[in-house]
């Protein structure tokens, strides 16, 4: 398939703001207002706001389409279904065209007004300016504690320097984004992938606000899934867990054997049944656990080998760049697969 012709005049956009939106209908108006104000202040008219509708089930899609039909700066990307936060974000990052790219959540927990400070830092020569949360308002104690634990554990396990207390809220330049977009994996932990890229990165401390409207889409189950994605895609330390456990239990076994022998010499009859059952149970559960960890990696390898596209786009609505986006390929990965097949 020939590449769709791009309108040269549209190519040089100073700033893209990419925002994945799930069910955020109550916050969209305020989001639009604040992001637009922040963009105009920094880059005048040379910006686009890419709103990715991630299979929303409330009025989010319509609200975003309405914005796109009224304001030429809005690019509405409607995905074919709900793919989850990280994939929706990837879709927006694939399609955006700006020289600098700001990643934002739709719920205004990360203030778009920080754009000014981020731009200033980038002017100093940084490739990535990431927000680092100093304080988080309106989050449960459990979320704070689990997030803190997770980031510390992750840092212990992973060679890449993933800064603690960061989200995806960050400003990147085009060369960083091109590297990111070229990473084809389907289990995406984007903040980690950006850290992996390296180049010059700097933190911008800020206070995370409470949600403007609605409730979190990251219940415990999804938080755990993201954590497992992060661990498995950046580290194979868990795979070594098995040998460590093996050593520990081997040593325990030796001790137990020594003790048994000692008791036998001493003339004591061992009431062995309970302890035996306990040991069998412990070893059984450890084996299953280790098998589960292996399965986690194996399953991921299987899913990756299918090489399905990360997402499918239902439609792109933008009054400014329709010509460019209408025939836009669904995903660069698909293009690459096609190229590989045709080569
Ligand atoms: N989101 C999404 N798809 C999902 C879940 C969430 O696009 O399946 C978006 C959501 O609209 C928001 C961002 O991802 O813009 C972060 O989600 P949320 O605020 O619920 O997460 P939290 O801040 O509580 O971690
Ligand atoms: Mg949020």
């Amino acid at each position: 398939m020939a590449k769709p012709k791009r309108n040269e005049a549209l190519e040089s956009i100073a700033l893209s703001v990419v925002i994945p939106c799930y069910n955020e209908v109550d916050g969209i108006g305020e989001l639009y207002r604040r992001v637009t104000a922040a963009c105009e202040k920094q880059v005048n008219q040379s910006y686009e706001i890419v709103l990715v509708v991630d299979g929303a089930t409330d009025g989010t899609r319509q609200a975003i389409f309405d914005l796109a039909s009224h304001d030429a700066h809005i690019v509405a990307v409607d995905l074919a279904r709900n793919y989850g936060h990280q994939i929706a974000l990837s879709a927006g990052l694939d399609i955006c065209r700006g020289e600098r790219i700001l990643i934002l959540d739709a719920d205004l927990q990360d203030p778009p007004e920080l754009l000014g400070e981020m731009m200033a830092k980038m002017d100093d020569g940084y490739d990535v300016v990431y927000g680092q949360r100093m304080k988080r308002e309106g989050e449960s104690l459990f979320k704070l504690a689990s997030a803190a634990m997770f980031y510390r554990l992750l840092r212990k396990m992973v060679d890449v320097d993933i800064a603690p207390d960061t989200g995806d809220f960050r400003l990147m330049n085009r060369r960083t984004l091109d590297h990111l977009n070229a990473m084809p994996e389907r289990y995406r932990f984007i903040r980690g992938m950006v850290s992996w890229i390296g180049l010059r990165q700097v933190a911008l401390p800020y206070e995370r606000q409470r949600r403007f409207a609605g409730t979190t889409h990251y219940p415990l189950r999804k938080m755990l899934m993201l954590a497992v994605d992060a661990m498995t895609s950046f580290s194979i330390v868990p795979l070594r867990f098995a040998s460590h456990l093996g050593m520990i239990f081997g040593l325990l076994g030796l001790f137990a054997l020594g003790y048994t022998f000692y008791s036998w010499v001493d003339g004591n009859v061992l009431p062995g049944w309970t302890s035996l059952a306990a040991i069998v149970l412990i070893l059984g559960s450890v084996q299953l656990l280790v098998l589960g960890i292996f399965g986690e990696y194996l399953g991921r390898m299987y899913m990756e080998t299918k090489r399905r596209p990360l997402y499918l786009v239902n439609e792109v609505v933008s009054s400014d760049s329709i010509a460019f986006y209408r025939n836009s390929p669904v995903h660069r990965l698909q293009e690459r697969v096609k190229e590989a097949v045709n080569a």
Side-chain angles (χ1 to χ4, degrees):
M1 189 173 68
K3 268 210 145 140
K5 215 169 161 224
R6 294 173 77 143
N7 182 341
E8 296 297 325
L10 289 172
E11 292 229 341
S12 55
I13 285 186
L15 178 71
S16 295
V17 183
V18 177
I19 311 176
C21 309
Y22 182 44
N23 289 344
E24 304 280 2
V25 67
D26 296 329
I28 290 291
E30 177 74 2
L31 175 74
Y32 170 67
R33 203 181 56 70
R34 278 176 63 185
V35 173
T36 301
C39 289
E40 284 184 349
K41 195 166 163 203
Q42 295 306 319
V43 294
N44 205 3
Q45 293 300 309
S46 187
Y47 69 93
E48 63 173 2
I49 304 174
V50 179
L51 297 164
V52 183
V53 185
D54 186 23
T57 50
D58 62 357
T60 304
R61 176 181 294 104
Q62 198 50 51
I64 288 177
F65 280 9
D66 285 349
L67 287 179
S69 60
H70 286 118
D71 184 343
H73 292 105
I74 301 288
V75 179
V77 182
D78 185 31
L79 298 184
R81 63 172 172 85
N82 176 255
Y83 290 91
H85 177 201
Q86 299 286 301
I87 298 289
L89 177 55
S90 304
L93 293 174
D94 268 340
I95 219 167
C96 74
R97 295 166 294 156
E99 278 311 308
R100 291 181 177 187
I101 300 92
L102 177 72
I103 300 177
L104 200 66
D105 278 356
D107 56 11
L108 290 171
Q109 282 192 284
D110 309 312
E113 290 75 20
L114 284 182
L115 178 64
E117 283 176 60
M118 289 180 152
M119 293 288 268
K121 283 216 170 183
M122 194 164 273
D123 289 339
D124 292 343
Y126 289 102
D127 295 284
V128 178
V129 185
Y130 56 86
Q132 192 163 32
R133 304 152 180 169
M134 293 290 111
K135 230 170 94 184
R136 303 173 77 171
E137 267 182 40
E139 306 259 37
S140 67
L141 210 63
F142 175 73
K143 178 141 191 168
L144 292 181
S146 54
M149 237 171 63
F150 164 66
Y151 280 108
R152 267 139 205 98
L153 187 63
L154 188 66
R155 275 169 75 83
K156 283 225 156 51
M157 285 172 35
V158 175
D159 306 335
V160 180
D161 191 18
I162 300 175
D165 306 317
T166 55
D168 292 315
F169 180 46
R170 60 193 59 217
L171 183 69
M172 304 185 261
N173 59 12
R174 177 48 63 180
R175 79 165 171 159
T176 311
L177 183 65
D178 284 345
H179 288 312
L180 181 65
N181 284 344
M183 295 159 101
E185 63 235 60
R186 92 183 8 257
Y187 294 92
R188 299 177 91 75
F189 183 62
I190 290 175
R191 60 204 80 157
M193 292 162 74
V194 175
S195 303
W196 182 89
I197 291 172
L199 301 174
R200 298 193 63 199
Q201 310 209 2
V202 66
L204 180 75
Y206 74 107
E207 284 182 19
R208 194 158 212 236
Q209 313 291 310
R210 60 180 73 239
R211 259 180 165 273
F212 176 73
T215 51
T216 177
H217 303 301
Y218 268 99
L220 182 61
R221 188 179 58 82
K222 278 201 195 169
M223 263 164 57
L224 282 176
M225 268 164 49
L226 186 71
V228 174
D229 280 352
M231 301 271 178
T232 50
S233 42
F234 282 90
S235 168
I236 54 165
V237 170
L239 286 175
R240 297 189 194 125
F241 192 52
S243 37
H244 294 165
L245 277 180
M247 270 181 336
I248 293 171
F249 277 92
L251 281 177
L252 280 178
L254 277 182
F255 275 119
L257 209 69
Y259 176 71
T260 318
F261 187 69
Y262 169 79
S263 310
W264 178 68
V265 171
D266 223 26
N268 280 339
V269 181
L270 281 178
W273 193 84
T274 340
S275 51
L276 211 75
I279 290 168
V280 170
L281 274 179
I282 292 171
L283 273 183
S285 69
V286 167
Q287 279 166 359
L288 283 179
L289 180 74
V290 170
L291 215 67
I293 294 173
F294 273 65
E296 221 30 82
Y297 281 89
L298 191 70
R300 269 148 226 272
M301 282 167 65
Y302 169 62
M303 296 304 275
E304 295 281 6
T305 54
K306 291 204 225 189
R307 305 212 64 185
R308 285 199 190 151
L310 291 183
Y311 54 83
L312 297 173
V313 176
N314 175 35
E315 81 183 288
V316 178
V317 178
S318 164
S319 54
D320 179 34
S321 28
I322 282 180
F324 168 55
Y325 286 116
R326 181 173 289 145
N327 302 314
S328 181
V330 167
H331 184 250
R332 293 177 191 184
L333 183 67
Q334 270 185 324
E335 278 186 88
R336 276 210 298 278
V337 172
K338 271 199 212 117
E339 278 165 21
V341 169
N342 293 334

